[in-house]
Amino acid sequence: MTYDFHQLSPHDLELLVQDLLQAEWDLVLEGFKSGRDGGIDLRYARYGQNMVVQVKHYLKTGFAGLLRDLTAEAIKVHAIRPSRYVLATSVPLSPANKQAISSLFGSALPVADILGQEDLNNLLGRHPAVLHKHYKLWLASRAVLDRVLHSDLVTQSEFQVEKICATIRRNVRSDAYHQALEILDRDRVLIISGAPGVGKTTLANMLLYAHLEKNWQPVVIRRDIAEGQRFFQRGASQIYYYDDFMGATFLGERATGLLRNDDRAITDFIEMVRASSRARLILTTREHIFGQAMAASERLRQAGLTGHKMILHIGGYDFGHKAKILYNHLYFSDLPDAYCDALLASDFYLEIVRHPKFNPRLIEWLSSFNRVHTVPPAEYRAFVRNLMRDPSEVWLHAYEQQLSDAGRSLLLALYSLGGKTEGRILEVAFKALHEVRAARWGLARRPDDWATAMAELLNAFIRPSGAMSFEVLDPSVIDLLNAVVRKAPENAVDLVVGSADFSQIERVMSLAAGGLSDIWHSLRQSGPAVADAIKRLLNRNGRLRTFSNGTFLWSWTPGSRLAAVLPLADRLRTMPMLGLVRETEAAMRASWETQDLHVNDTVEALRALERTTWSPLRSSPLEVEITARLIEAAGEGVRSDELREIISALDLEGPENTAALEALRAAFERSRRSIAAEIGEASTENDFNGLREDYELFASSLGVDVAQELEQIEEAYGEYSGDEERRAEEMQDGYRDRQRTDRATEDSVRDMFASLRGDRGA
């Protein structure tokens, strides 16, 4: 495989050459300061020898630029008089090129000691261990990327060669990479969690691409876990990647979905991956969303997801790591030299690296000319300081001053849909919201508002996502809109009243649930209009749900309607909302006479009732009625998951519950075999703990004998424990071997950034 080294910075190339020559010559080369080396990058000075190695990149200027600058280097070489001088460059060199270079140095540089691009590739072939260490070469190699582009499972829109190369070459591998790889190799499943912009997606990409080099088949999941299940091939080497798998910013619709078996789909797929030695799964999520999901779903808590999770923190980046992130972004950026010079002057880059709000996403922003081109170079440093101090201010200025009213309506509509949706759905949501905002605030409307707003936002705030779908350009756009709604809570009223689907209302409420009293106050002030909007959407046949093959209307059930409206009424506490609850309760009672009971939705309605604290809601006799109806349904026969939900939700103590207890005991006996099948699927500590708790629940609540099942659990756990202890020892040994002692100092960072001065193409 041939490399052109375009994905390496001068600093990267210098380290590569050092490792190659050390491996080839079996000696240790000293490294010197980048940018002010006096003609020396590497040196071997022992036993009377004074061998010097000079490394030249010249990515853009090529041989002409190299030959021009080597004239000055020749003067330095004659001054230091090394016993041997070696020149290594990433530039392709013909025999004539090497002869021309040698003639500049005379006898100080024979042709044999001139190493061009071809010679470096030859050394890489001789020393594959060096190649593996310098991951940017093989992660961004054309051969690996071509395999991705021609995969039947991945579209070119997801893996573009240019996008991958631009991303990989800026990345800096940290200790988090090794930790993540250990978890992935050990458990086959990895959840990367952390705050926005901390580097979750970057780390996930590095892990994904590392597997591509080994011929693993990538499957990037875009919509839901069903995509991964559809492409799963038992025995094949497949690595699955699901970015932001618990939602872009809020659980919103997914919070209810998790309680309606979306959580089962996730846990089932995780178990499928765990059971295959040739499958891996990488998931990313924001930490606060992960916490909300775990709180909402008993099934997720029992699935042992926390054991597969690693949390990224900005504090996890040390000084040297931050410096390399900034250095790589600047070197490979499209910023004109005037902007780079502004960052280099007076060591201003050190202020950025030390900044408490240092964030890889901000670094990407400030190094993108497309995003800063309106800022004159003379004002660039002030712009960077403002960006680091308050990143949302940059977005807010564009949102408030540069977008049309229609553009803001479209962006708010996409925000209320989770930041990603199909175009046909976005258009309906936009028109509904824009109509409400125009009427409420006297905004001008035009027939072409949709087309104008789309053209205005496309590739600036939003981007295409697959066929006829759109998403926010970057997760920080969602952060912007969070700030917009917090700053002007009347936006929350607009979003609720102008919603086209119930999931939009839940997303707004989830933002308010974060303790933002101003939003609740605004919603209560518009009580009748808010209640009317909620009622309108509850009375539809269903709500939108998105799957791998599209977005569909998901039917409401009487239980799901009540479970959805109760928490909203409990927080809003307005008379119109109380009236809506009473209507929904009456509809549920009426349905029992004509419809089969949807057990899990009815359990969720019961739990929603139990969680309410507003006294008018607590005074309803419906809890008793629902309990009786669930017990009746259990006696008629239910699935094992429905039985667990019923048992966990009901109070079965006391002689008055004897009949209910007998009915549930009989239901358990009918489901005993299917429940016991889960023992063979357990593969983590939390799995076994969850199974024990389940059987203890059945035994304590129903009075059934589960000794045989508990014995089976302990036998399976014994086998698991032995394997786990061995894996833990291996992991600890590997950690000790990989501990790093290198600590970057301020001087070494200055030396690294010195190579950015002048032509970054050199």
Side-chain angles (χ1 to χ4, degrees), residues 210-241:
H211 284 75
L212 301 185
E213 192 267 342
K214 300 176 182 178
N215 286 316
W216 284 64
Q217 189 179 58
V219 180
V220 176
I221 301 172
R222 289 182 174 182
R223 293 191 180 276
D224 60 32
I225 212 71
E227 289 184 64
Q229 295 169 327
R230 180 159 55 93
F231 288 124
F232 187 86
Q233 298 175 8
R234 194 167 299 279
S237 297
Q238 292 179 303
I239 182 162
Y240 298 84
Y241 175 28

Side-chain angles (χ1 to χ4, degrees), residues 567-581:
L568 305 185
D570 196 38
R571 292 304 300 264
L572 288 169
R573 301 192 175 191
T574 63
M575 295 312 295
M577 285 302 299
L578 180 59
L580 181 55
V581 169

